[in-house]
Amino acid sequence: MSLKDKLISSFLAFEENIDLENDIHTQRDSAIKYFENTGFPTKKDEAWKYTSLNSILKEDYSIFPKKEFALDYKDVKKYFIHDIDTYTIVFVDGIYSSHLSSTTHDKFDACLMSSALNKAKYKSIIDTYFNKATPEDSLVSLNTAFTREGAYIRVPKNVAAEKPVQIINFSTGSETALMVQPRNLIIAEDGSQLQIIERHQSLTDNAVLTNSVTEVFVGKNANVDYYKIQNDKTSASLIDSTYVKQDRDSVASVHTFSLGGKLTRNNLNFYQNGENINSILKGVTILEDKQHVDHNTLVHHQQPNCESHQDYKGIFSDKSVGVFNGKVYVDKIAQKTDAYQSNNNILIDDTSTCNSKPQLEIFADDVKCSHGCTIGQLDNEALYYLQTRGIPYKEARALLMFAFANNVLDSVKIPEIKKRITKQIALKIGVELGFDL
Amino acid sequence: MHQNQTKYNYKRSNMLKIKNLHASVEGEEILKGINLEINPGEVHAIMGPNGSGKSTLASVIAGNEDFEVTDGDILFEKSNISELSPDERAHKGIFLSFQYPVEIPGVSVTNFIKTSINQVRKSRGQEDMPANEMLKKIREKSALLEMDRKFLSRSLNDGFSGGEKKRNEIFQMAMLEPKLAILDETDSGLDIDALRIVSEGVNRLRTNENATLVITHYQRLLDYIVPDVVHVLLDGKIVKTGDKELAKELEERGYDWLKEESTAKV
């Protein structure tokens, strides 16, 4: 049985366990029908031209884990940003782990999607926001059909979340192959502030496929910073679809650090629904060992006087593959748009591949849209220069790669994350840098 | 006073000894049998017209792998360095100030020099330089080159003016305290103030233990950094060696008379 068939037949079993009276039921129903009609995307779809899901869809995934698995904090502490105080929402094999989590309802809500979907007091919010930022898409539909758990975060008007929220999804390998579908809903109301750190982490070499969907609503004059840490095992694949809907005068940023995983697809979409909005999309990708990362971004400028900044850097070696497909749409009404897009890549050896495809569709006539993409090698002249200063070849390469990735890290506002990512970059490159960061 | 030092130093062994050096790039021979001896405490100048091989000589001493040494030896403090990588040569105390310093966005001048100093120390089996000592040294040496503190946190050479780049080169030299400093066209692109600052920096770093090799097209720099020995490089060979008066003669007469002289010899 193909994974598609397995999912469709599992849907009936899934439905039995949930409240059929719930309004979400109708949404699930049409979602599974949409998925049934469209199926998984293939390379024939323009948006999936450079990324094939074939190799990961072959596995016989368990759709629902059979048993709960308890993790000790001390064993998984290293996957948390633990040197700062945060709220944490932790899932183990798709199931909420209360003892690893620290949720809140005090000044704002950082809790569970399952409660939001099922408790009456959240009904009006779910009606207003759930599945409202997403377009028609087979993978999103699949996630919607099976929506059960995930993070629910809502920051009320003019509240600044006093600490960042970490959303961590562990897979324990209790199943030979596991498919999980987290669904996150994040609402930052007018004038609020929020920082989120997200991570998917497999703890064994068993296959994992995560089909994650996140909706982020950024209210007027609100500020949301989202950090995605992707440094998973080479047996774990991730399809992350994130939709950010921004209201006027808001600023939203998403930083994606793709440092490991078998296949990672980031569908990152920003919709600007008001004037004077700033959208920031940044990514550092460092891959080796046949890993594959595909950044598929969209910024839709729907109103005048807005900005967007995209800056993605990639370093690829040892049969790894990088894809960047960055779309910028500027509607006719969106005059005075300032859209910037940059994608720079370094191929370390002949075996690695990079596909970079900027796509700009501009219907307004008074805009500033710039884009540039480069694919190249490390600059030999710069390597030589560093070597004449006593820096050995290997360290010189590391310093150049670090320098290359560094300006993406510059905009990271949480120093502990910056430090952690810098260390991971240094570790991946395999050398100690000669200075503290 | 300087002459006395030179005489004394001649009794010691050479710091740099180049014997019959031939080097080519992409199959074309650029250096055609260079012989050169530099002793501690000396300043040598190499002059010559464009394309004579001056910068090639600097690159070959520094270990640039774009150039192939086809014959001859480069001895530094009696050991043959021909096979060493550029970083290994730097560890031995050779420094090249680039004619065109490379821009490296994303790494600050400070972090770069820290990495450089600590890598050199590591090669000598020393621990990293303590942070306060490093800071003190950076302050002292940047003041010597009249560098603004803001300059130190900027990305290395990124968007620097010609003068700033050259000052930054000499700042690195001051930090690394090399035994042999090679200044490749350090005067090109400098206005008179920058030239003065850079030259004063170089002069104040001189001791009777280290040596300087100044590569220049013009005599102007040699008014500030006064050489003990002047060599003229023509078509890959040193055709004439003299004292600082030779540089002045070249300024007046150009290089053509030497070209005629050297062809006459053949």
Side-chain angles (χ1 to χ4, degrees):
Chain A
M1 192 161 41
S2 75
L3 182 60
K4 182 186 167 188
D5 294 339
K6 187 173 179 175
L7 284 160
I8 291 164
S9 58
S10 305
F11 183 70
L12 296 170
F14 174 74
E15 271 199 312
E16 278 176 20
N17 296 322
I18 55 171
D19 184 6
L20 289 176
E21 298 305 306
N22 197 314
D23 285 349
I24 299 302
H25 171 72
T26 19
Q27 292 197 48
R28 287 187 203 285
D29 220 34
S30 57
I32 197 71
K33 279 184 186 128
Y34 187 86
F35 175 70
E36 196 172 354
N37 288 332
T38 51
F40 286 102
T42 68
K43 288 183 100 168
K44 285 180 194 149
D45 298 286
E46 188 58 30
W48 290 82
K49 197 174 169 187
Y50 302 106
T51 299
S52 167
L53 293 176
N54 286 347
S55 67
I56 58 171
L57 298 180
K58 280 188 310 211
E59 300 281 347
D60 185 22
Y61 294 105
S62 298
I63 314 290
F64 315 110
K66 289 172 194 77
K67 49 180 185 269
E68 281 194 47
F69 200 99
L71 289 175
D72 268 339
Y73 178 66
K74 64 172 172 36
D75 296 331
V76 292
K77 185 182 167 191
K78 65 177 174 182
Y79 300 115
F80 290 74
I81 303 289
H82 53 73
D83 31 18
I84 48 169
D85 202 8
T86 61
Y87 291 113
T88 52
I89 310 174
V90 181
F91 305 98
V92 177
D93 297 332
I95 296 163
Y96 173 62
S97 164
S98 60
H99 83 278
L100 290 177
S101 300
S102 122
T103 57
T104 184
H105 290 290
D106 294 345
K107 289 178 185 158
F108 71 106
D109 290 322
C111 59
L112 301 180
M113 194 66 189
S114 54
S115 336
L117 288 172
N118 297 313
K119 287 184 183 166
K121 66 170 176 175
Y122 296 109
K123 189 178 178 305
S124 69
I125 288 166
I126 292 296
D127 287 348
T128 313
Y129 295 104
F130 178 74
N131 215 24
K132 295 297 187 284
T134 53
E136 282 198 327
D137 176 273
S138 62
L139 291 161
V140 172
S141 298
L142 179 61
N143 178 288
T144 303
F146 286 92
T147 291
R148 177 166 57 179
E149 197 53 284
Y152 168 80
I153 302 169
R154 180 177 152 262
V155 189
K157 206 173 166 177
N158 296 330
V159 170
E162 74 277 21
K163 19 184 185 177
V165 181
Q166 296 195 67
I167 307 168
I168 305 179
N169 298 276
F170 288 113
S171 318
T172 62
S174 63
E175 305 285 339
T176 340
L178 177 70
M179 181 171 180
V180 285
Q181 304 204 61
R183 177 71 173 229
N184 305 314
L185 178 61
I186 293 152
I187 302 153
E189 292 185 354
D190 297 353
S192 68
Q193 286 178 48
L194 176 65
Q195 292 179 316
I196 300 160
I197 303 153
E198 182 192 82
R199 181 166 194 152
H200 300 270
Q201 187 63 48
S202 174
L203 302 172
T204 69
D205 292 329
N206 285 354
V208 181
L209 171 58
T210 304
N211 178 36
S212 174
V213 173
T214 303
E215 293 178 273
V216 185
F217 294 88
V218 188
K220 290 173 194 132
N221 201 31
N223 194 337
V224 174
D225 296 313
Y226 205 130
Y227 302 97
K228 291 173 181 279
I229 302 173
Q230 300 172 344
N231 192 12
D232 214 340
K233 301 247 180 181
T234 48
S235 52
S237 295
L238 168 68
I239 301 162
D240 178 319
S241 302
T242 297
Y243 300 90
V244 184
K245 214 168 174 179
Q246 288 183 253
D247 228 328
R248 71 173 170 82
D249 303 315
S250 66
V251 182
S253 74
V254 174
H255 287 75
T256 308
F257 308 111
S258 308
L259 308 172
K262 182 188 171 85
L263 184 152
T264 307
R265 163 77 174 212
N266 289 299
N267 297 316
L268 181 57
N269 307 273
F270 278 73
Y271 305 97
Q272 298 184 332
N273 286 321
E275 291 198 40
N276 194 31
I277 288 170
N278 191 359
S279 307
I280 298 147
L281 300 79
K282 300 217 175 189
V284 181
T285 307
I286 304 179
L287 294 186
E288 65 282 304
D289 194 17
K290 296 181 193 156
Q291 297 178 91
H292 183 116
V293 169
D294 181 345
H295 293 290
N296 196 284
T297 69
L298 163 72
V299 178
H300 194 164
H301 290 271
Q302 298 169 321
Q303 294 293 328
N305 302 312
C306 293
E307 291 173 44
S308 65
H309 299 269
Q310 293 192 62
D311 190 0
Y312 281 80
K313 304 244 193 248
I315 301 174
F316 304 95
S317 62
D318 190 19
K319 294 177 185 157
S320 64
V321 179
V323 182
F324 176 80
N325 188 353
K327 292 192 270 311
V328 176
Y329 290 152
V330 182
D331 286 351
K332 201 173 175 185
I333 185 182
Q335 298 294 1
K336 306 280 180 198
T337 290
D338 184 354
Y340 172 83
Q341 185 189 80
S342 159
N343 174 232
N344 303 298
N345 303 287
I346 292 175
L347 297 179
I348 298 296
D349 55 41
D350 293 343
T351 65
S352 41
T353 311
C354 181
N355 301 289
S356 181
K357 187 179 163 196
Q359 223 176 311
L360 277 71
E361 293 191 31
I362 302 162
F363 299 98
D365 54 11
D366 183 15
V367 299
K368 197 173 127 195
C369 294
S370 55
H371 73 96
C373 64
T374 59
I375 301 175
Q377 278 92 39
L378 285 175
D379 180 1
N380 279 330
E381 183 71 16
L383 274 173
Y384 166 59
Y385 183 66
L386 296 184
Q387 280 184 282
T388 63
R389 299 304 182 253
I391 304 171
Y393 181 74
K394 205 177 151 198
E395 282 76 10
R397 279 172 62 109
L399 190 60
L400 286 183
M401 287 191 252
F402 170 78
F404 174 74
N406 193 35
N407 50 351
V408 175
L409 297 179
D410 267 357
S411 53
V412 173
K413 286 184 203 141
I414 305 176
E416 288 74 13
I417 292 184
K418 197 169 174 173
K419 220 167 151 180
R420 160 100 51 138
I421 299 299
T422 307
K423 265 192 185 160
Q424 271 164 358
I425 290 173
L427 200 72
K428 274 185 86 79
I429 292 162
V431 275
E432 290 287 320
L433 293 163
F435 49 88
D436 287 330
L437 296 145
Chain B
M1 185 196 91
H2 208 74
Q3 290 250 301
N4 291 339
Q5 273 178 15
T6 309
K7 271 174 195 155
Y8 168 73
N9 286 329
Y10 266 115
K11 288 172 196 158
R12 296 200 274 169
S13 62
N14 301 134
M15 176 186 279
L16 181 74
K17 186 169 185 176
I18 294 177
K19 293 189 288 191
N20 188 33
L21 183 69
H22 290 254
S24 49
V25 60
E26 289 165 354
E28 191 194 339
E29 189 165 63
I30 310 280
L31 301 182
K32 301 169 181 174
I34 301 270
N35 292 292
L36 180 66
E37 290 177 15
I38 300 177
N39 299 303
E42 291 178 354
V43 175
H44 287 233
I46 294 199
M47 300 185 71
N50 282 334
S52 57
K54 300 188 302 288
S55 284
T56 300
L57 179 61
S59 299
V60 170
I61 299 171
N64 188 335
E65 280 149 16
D66 290 346
F67 299 91
E68 197 192 344
V69 174
T70 49
D71 200 4
D73 287 316
I74 307 171
L75 301 174
F76 186 74
E77 294 185 323
K78 287 182 182 169
S79 70
N80 194 334
I81 60 164
S82 302
E83 296 299 317
L84 298 185
S85 62
D87 48 296
E88 289 167 326
R89 296 181 200 208
H91 298 160
K92 285 190 175 292
I94 296 173
F95 178 89
L96 171 63
S97 168
F98 279 52
Q99 182 177 3
Y100 304 108
V102 183
E103 298 191 3
I104 305 180
V107 59
S108 69
V109 173
T110 304
N111 280 341
F112 170 66
I113 200 66
K114 280 183 187 170
T115 308
S116 171
I117 294 250
N118 284 332
Q119 288 293 345
V120 172
R121 288 174 72 101
K122 196 172 158 189
S123 76
R124 293 171 186 162
Q126 297 168 317
E127 295 284 304
D128 280 0
M129 183 181 277
N132 54 351
E133 198 182 317
M134 181 78 79
L135 201 67
K136 199 174 150 230
K137 190 166 181 175
I138 289 174
R139 276 204 196 123
E140 188 189 310
K141 302 299 182 188
S142 57
L144 177 71
L145 275 306
E146 298 181 25
M147 287 161 75
D148 192 345
R149 276 181 75 182
K150 273 186 218 145
F151 190 90
L152 296 167
S153 56
R154 280 171 63 188
S155 277
L156 186 62
N157 294 325
D158 187 21
F160 285 20
S161 69
E164 286 173 329
K165 281 182 183 168
K166 296 296 169 72
R167 251 195 268 183
N168 187 26
E169 292 292 285
I170 305 305
F171 165 68
Q172 292 169 36
M173 172 181 154
M175 289 295 294
L176 288 163
E177 300 175 78
K179 289 177 186 161
L180 173 66
I182 306 163
L183 311 182
D184 187 6
E185 306 276 3
T186 295
D187 52 333
S188 68
L190 289 190
D191 62 30
I192 202 78
D193 284 335
L195 184 64
R196 178 188 54 80
I197 293 164
V198 163
S199 311
E200 276 175 13
V202 171
N203 287 332
R204 284 168 70 175
L205 296 169
R206 284 176 64 179
T207 68
N208 56 7
E209 299 294 324
N210 63 27
T212 313
L213 178 60
V214 182
I215 289 173
T216 184
H217 191 90
Y218 305 104
Q219 201 262 333
R220 184 177 75 148
L221 178 66
L222 304 181
D223 288 338
Y224 293 88
I225 304 170
V226 181
D228 300 300
V229 186
V230 174
H231 309 272
V232 181
L233 192 63
L234 270 184
D235 192 27
K237 282 182 187 165
I238 290 175
V239 294
K240 199 169 184 70
T241 296
D243 60 13
K244 61 183 179 185
E245 296 308 320
L246 177 58
K248 286 180 183 146
E249 196 177 352
L250 290 168
E251 183 76 1
E252 281 165 26
R253 299 178 64 188
Y255 293 101
D256 286 347
W257 62 284
L258 282 168
K259 279 181 194 162
E260 282 154 24
E261 220 170 71
S262 70
T263 31
K265 266 188 224 163
V266 179

